[in-house]
Amino acid sequence: MNLEDFHVSREYGFMLKDPLEVLPPPFNQWTDLCGRLSPLIETHQFRNEVKKLPLLDHHQLTQHHQLRLAHLVLCMMSSGYIWQEGDRGVTKMLPSTLAVPLHGVSQRLGIKPVISHLDCVLANCKRIDPQGPFSLENLQCLFLLPGGRACEWFFLVTAQVEMASVPGLRAVVDAVRCVLESDSSGLINDLHLISESVHAMKLAVKRMHEELPAGVFYNVMRPFLSGFGGDGSPLPKGVIYEGISEEPIKLPGGSAAQSSPIQCFDAALGIRHEEGKRAFLCQMRDHMPPAHKAFIEALEQGPSIKNFAEQSQDSDLQRAYNQTIQSLNEFRAYHITVVAKYITAMAQKNDRNKNVESLAKRGTGGQTLIPFLKSIQGTTNDAAINIDKEELR
């Protein structure tokens, strides 16, 4: 098993290296309009500008980087068009000038025609100094939703979480080799690397608080990440994609569950979540590039690290496995605290944005929030090998 076989970079992980910033004419009309999305939404003029767009033939875009940029800007503009006026002003139809190319580009990429982690994070970050490091101080977003610097900070910090996972991804592949070769000492080292990587991801998440006010995230940004349809939505049946379908299409929006690294670690370590929760996580894989989804599935179907550690009776190996489980447990526990601050607490405030009440009790991916996350954390904790399970409680 090699990362490259699944379009995963040994240097950048699941991030798209050196994404394009502008599409060639006439598609630069898309990037130009998306670059003006926020001020146009603030003045309630974005829908009017979308209606002026011509219907462009997406087949003229041929390169993968072109398709990824097209998907990014078309998804952002689609969210802006639907949610410009909040819950009460939603429109039930996405015009063909957005719907037709978005659907076509999505089919060519093998992903869903709706805003997702793949767009806002994986294909939306560039280095200010191309020769400099991939760090928060040397990064900027190509395109933003309403929210200004807070929105950019949210996307960039999430990109840093992705980058922190890269050493762990490399270690996962080597860990599979170690199981096949019965290399206990090598596997112990790989488990330590995965644990360190997950810890680095947690430290990256902690930086979210520096420049992302909870009020801006909840009241300004979050509606545009919410997708179309679902229980409690003002669009329960979804949105009609004009020129594609006469019936509404229901699609969840962006979700942390669409990020591949933690799903990879779960798969590699043999963490199996409760069936209903697993179904949601598998659904979120459909918002990943097909090769990334295939990587997770290959890890699930590959040699079992947990079984090897459990059957080896090597106490050092078992402790290393449980320490890795503990790192994932701590990451998920911290994620719950972040969700509590940015969503749960804000949903209870009297001064919250009443124009987006549909998001008060659910995630932008469509799932319930704290109960879902606590269940996932619980099954992570339960994956520990019995020898040390008491130490994790």
Side-chain angles (χ1 to χ4, degrees):
M1 177 183 288
N2 297 304
L3 289 174
E4 292 81 2
D5 294 340
F6 299 95
H7 300 171
V8 184
S9 166
R10 291 185 61 83
E11 185 179 3
Y12 293 94
F14 297 103
M15 296 289 295
L16 182 67
K17 182 181 179 181
D18 300 325
L20 292 181
E21 300 179 44
V22 179
L23 291 169
F27 301 96
N28 58 337
Q29 295 176 76
W30 293 348
T31 50
D32 175 68
L33 181 55
C34 193
R36 297 184 289 127
L37 183 147
S38 292
L40 287 171
I41 285 177
E42 290 172 5
T43 57
H44 305 277
Q45 293 300 311
F46 185 70
R47 286 180 184 168
N48 293 334
E49 292 300 312
V50 166
K51 291 174 183 176
K52 298 176 184 177
L53 287 174
L55 177 58
L56 301 177
D57 181 10
H58 65 86
H59 291 98
Q60 295 179 31
L61 299 171
T62 57
Q63 301 173 9
H64 179 75
H65 278 53
Q66 289 179 345
L67 293 173
R68 291 290 295 273
L69 177 55
H71 197 270
L72 164 63
V73 296
L74 288 167
C75 282
M76 281 196 168
M77 290 193 291
S78 296
S79 282
Y81 187 91
I82 296 297
W83 294 107
Q84 175 180 287
E85 304 298 334
D87 285 354
R88 297 179 181 178
V90 292
T91 176
K92 298 180 180 180
M93 179 179 290
L94 191 64
S96 60
T97 51
L98 294 180
V100 171
L102 173 55
H103 187 267
V105 168
S106 299
Q107 284 196 317
R108 294 170 68 186
L109 289 170
I111 53 181
K112 298 295 184 181
V114 70
I115 197 165
S116 69
H117 177 83
L118 171 133
D119 300 304
C120 298
V121 177
L122 300 187
N124 193 30
C125 301
K126 73 167 187 175
R127 285 177 290 184
I128 298 169
D129 174 5
Q131 307 305 317
F134 197 97
S135 64
L136 282 171
E137 294 71 27
N138 191 42
L139 287 176
Q140 66 182 47
C141 287
L142 304 180
F143 298 95
L144 296 173
L145 297 168
R149 176 57 177 171
C151 178
E152 182 168 47
W153 190 253
F154 175 67
F155 292 157
L156 294 181
V157 169
T158 308
Q160 285 292 292
V161 177
E162 289 280 337
M163 288 297 293
S165 76
V166 175
L169 296 173
R170 294 196 296 261
V172 159
V173 172
D174 192 66
V176 171
R177 177 195 63 79
C178 288
V179 172
L180 291 172
E181 298 178 1
S182 298
D183 180 0
S184 293
S185 61
L187 182 54
I188 289 171
N189 183 64
D190 288 329
L191 287 168
H192 287 321
L193 290 172
I194 296 170
S195 182
E196 290 171 1
S197 189
V198 174
H199 180 66
M201 293 169 70
K202 176 184 171 183
L203 294 179
V205 174
K206 284 189 173 183
R207 295 204 63 182
M208 199 70 77
H209 306 284
E210 295 177 19
E211 297 190 45
L212 180 64
V216 176
F217 176 78
Y218 186 89
N219 292 317
V220 180
M221 295 166 47
R222 198 163 170 257
F224 297 97
L225 295 168
S226 63
F228 316 131
D231 294 340
S233 170
L235 297 164
K237 296 182 179 179
V239 167
I240 295 172
Y241 281 54
E242 185 182 29
I244 298 298
S245 173
E246 295 182 359
E247 297 297 323
I249 299 174
K250 185 189 302 185
L251 290 166
S255 168
Q258 294 164 0
S259 177
S260 299
I262 292 295
Q263 289 220 37
C264 285
F265 297 146
D266 279 355
L269 295 168
I271 298 171
R272 296 292 181 262
H273 299 294
E274 182 270 327
E275 191 58 35
K277 308 301 186 295
R278 173 176 166 76
F280 172 78
L281 293 172
C282 288
Q283 179 189 11
M284 291 298 99
R285 295 178 191 176
D286 292 336
H287 295 258
M288 303 173 186
H292 297 176
K293 175 182 177 180
F295 182 47
I296 299 171
E297 292 172 346
L299 290 171
E300 284 182 330
Q301 297 162 11
S304 174
I305 294 172
K306 180 177 182 178
N307 287 349
F308 181 80
E310 206 161 23
Q311 295 170 11
S312 73
Q313 300 302 310
D314 182 332
S315 60
D316 289 337
L317 175 55
Q318 291 177 346
R319 276 192 288 271
Y321 176 86
N322 281 358
Q323 286 169 3
T324 308
I325 294 297
Q326 176 68 358
S327 295
L328 280 167
N329 190 46
E330 291 174 355
F331 177 87
R332 287 190 154 119
Y334 190 73
H335 184 219
I336 290 173
T337 67
V338 172
V339 169
K341 171 184 175 178
Y342 284 98
I343 300 175
T344 309
M346 288 301 304
Q348 297 170 353
K349 288 183 175 290
N350 290 327
D351 61 348
R352 67 184 181 274
N353 186 353
K354 300 300 197 311
N355 290 325
V356 289
E357 284 293 275
S358 61
L359 291 175
K361 295 182 180 180
R362 63 186 179 96
T364 50
Q367 80 287 7
T368 54
L369 290 167
I370 299 299
F372 174 84
L373 296 175
K374 286 187 175 180
S375 173
I376 295 296
Q377 185 195 11
T379 47
T380 301
N381 187 66
D382 291 342
I385 295 172
N386 286 335
I387 179 176
D388 282 336
K389 187 169 283 189
E390 289 303 316
E391 295 181 14
L392 299 180
R393 296 190 182 280

